[in-house]
Amino acid sequence: MSYINRSGKCLVCSRVGIVYHHVKTRGSTGKPIDEDWNKMPLCVDHHTHGGDCVHRMGLISFANKFKSANDWLIKNGWEKCLMTGKWYHSQNNYI
């Protein structure tokens, strides 16, 4: 499992103890992108285990459902393509 930050808070539910969701996945680049703009702080339930977790829903649906996730993406330099709905970052390409 990903590194757990025991003092960080989930951006969706504010639960203490988070893991980092890599928005631009490790598999898509061949290496982890461990920059702050790519590490979304989520509790285990919102990351991988809950019914409404980002890995189950996908980033587009997750950001549409949770305003805090959408706001985090924008604050961290992500932009949403108006045609496809996919998120992209100026330091990277579409996910």
Side-chain angles (χ1 to χ4, degrees), residues 27-59:
S28 67
T29 63
K31 60 181 178 169
I33 301 173
D34 285 330
E35 304 292 330
D36 287 343
W37 58 263
N38 194 49
K39 298 188 310 186
M40 183 183 286
L42 298 171
C43 67
V44 174
D45 286 341
H46 283 114
H47 184 230
T48 53
H49 295 317
D52 55 0
C53 69
V54 68
H55 279 273
R56 187 169 306 204
M57 296 178 70
L59 184 64

Side-chain angles (χ1 to χ4, degrees), residues 4-11 14-20 41-42:
I4 297 176
N5 177 329
R6 299 196 187 284
S7 62
K9 291 185 179 180
C10 176
L11 69 90
S14 298
R15 184 180 304 159
V16 176
I18 53 106
V19 293
Y20 292 109
L42 298 171

